Amino acid sequence: MTPTPTTVVASDLDRTLIYSTAALGLTMPDAQAPRLLCVEVYEGKPLSYVTETAAGLLAELARTGVFVPTTTRTREQYGRIHLPGPAPKFAVCANGGHLLVDGVSDPDWQATVARRLAAECATLDEVRGHLVRTADPAWLLKERVAEDLFAYLVVERALLPEEWVKELAVWAEERGWTVSLQGRKLYAVPKPLTKSAAVREVARRAGADEILAAGDSLLDADLLLAADRSWRPGHGELADTGFVAAGLTVLPERGIAAGEKIAGAFLSAVRPQ
């Protein structure tokens, strides 16, 4: 008997599948706005949403394929999200720094990541020190380290100088790091720390024949390039740079409507014909 093909569906979360109030992107009259389901609460307040239609699609997807939430969020931040459907067996957090198996970080994967970071890029201390020294208190709101793997700043976006971001990107590139600006957060992430590497490991363990993916930011580019088929919304860093790749579908939808479209595309791709 020929084994049933297995497909891994790896998707970024924030501004790809789930949306904060600020990121909803609803331009229609209030009376025509879709019903929303809250999927994240923080400090007692609703924070992130999907449309009710997307919720149904994601629940079915989780029951049909190997669905892998793939996020730059820390494990703690990811733990606040409650997507519809059964809990995924695998999840990727910290931009590939942690591979969760049934909610627990895999120690072998952690060791693999640590070896790559030690061998291939500048240290977190060096990069963080540069961020703190060069950031201006006029626009810097918070400075954080995530999982002892990468750093990010929370900024006042309207006051953030574009030239400073460009200079930082060049400085980071020379040291094997990537800079990504998403909403009010500016990330500095080691290049060896990738979502695609962790998703390939999931595919190996699951015996998958195909990888589907979606994402909106520069930190998702490697994931989309590694996928057999992928989708990106009409908003975000990748849209701003005109990013294209083999097998990539560029959606015209923006905001939470794009999240619903991506969920539907995933389900159509994995649902038995």
Side-chain angles (χ1 to χ4, degrees), residues 2 6 12 33 78 88 92 112-113 117 133 176 178 190 196 202 220 253 272:
T2 302
T6 300
D12 176 50
Y78 169 68
V92 174
T112 297
V113 169
L117 294 181
R133 286 193 304 274
T178 297
S196 60
V202 172
D220 298 312
E253 288 85 0

Side-chain angles (χ1 to χ4, degrees), residues 24-96:
L24 288 176
L26 299 177
T27 58
M28 61 191 69
D30 291 348
Q32 297 175 21
R35 286 165 59 95
L36 302 178
L37 174 71
C38 178
V39 294
E40 179 185 14
V41 174
Y42 181 55
E43 296 183 343
K45 298 177 182 178
L47 187 61
S48 298
Y49 303 85
V50 297
T51 68
E52 222 172 48
T53 298
L57 295 168
L58 290 172
E60 187 174 350
L61 176 65
R63 291 189 291 265
T64 305
V66 181
F67 174 53
V68 186
T70 307
T71 180
T72 305
R73 286 180 176 231
T74 64
R75 288 170 288 173
E76 180 183 2
Q77 292 166 339
Y78 169 68
R80 301 196 303 251
I81 299 172
H82 299 284
L83 295 171
K89 179 176 181 60
F90 299 103
V92 174
C93 293
N95 211 64

Side-chain angles (χ1 to χ4, degrees), residues 80-232:
R80 301 196 303 251
I81 299 172
H82 299 284
L83 295 171
K89 179 176 181 60
F90 299 103
V92 174
C93 293
N95 211 64
H98 288 280
L99 172 56
L100 306 189
V101 183
D102 295 323
V104 178
S105 184
D106 183 87
D108 291 338
W109 183 251
Q110 287 185 47
T112 297
V113 169
R115 286 193 296 269
R116 291 194 64 193
L117 294 181
E120 299 177 25
C121 62
T123 65
L124 172 62
D125 286 344
E126 179 183 351
V127 174
R128 182 187 184 189
H130 181 81
L131 287 174
V132 172
R133 286 193 304 274
T134 60
D136 190 333
W139 46 259
L140 177 62
L141 302 177
K142 298 176 185 177
E143 179 266 332
R144 294 287 186 268
V145 168
E147 304 268 20
D148 291 324
L149 291 168
F150 62 89
Y152 67 93
L153 308 179
V154 181
V155 302
E156 189 65 60
R157 183 69 179 264
L159 301 178
L160 180 66
E162 184 177 339
E163 193 59 34
W164 183 86
V165 177
K166 291 179 179 178
E167 290 175 359
L168 175 65
V170 171
W171 182 91
E173 174 76 24
E174 294 171 348
R175 289 158 179 81
W177 285 61
T178 297
V179 171
S180 174
L181 181 59
Q182 304 175 37
R184 296 196 309 153
K185 290 183 178 180
L186 184 140
Y187 294 90
V189 178
K191 286 192 172 185
L193 194 66
T194 65
K195 294 179 178 181
S196 60
V199 169
R200 285 193 188 99
E201 177 63 13
V202 172
R204 185 188 69 80
R205 297 186 187 193
D209 305 273
E210 183 180 42
I211 296 174
L212 310 180
D216 72 298
S217 81
L218 290 177
L219 296 178
D220 298 312
D222 68 283
L223 177 62
L224 303 187
L225 288 167
D228 297 285
R229 286 184 285 170
S230 60
W231 291 261
R232 71 162 171 84

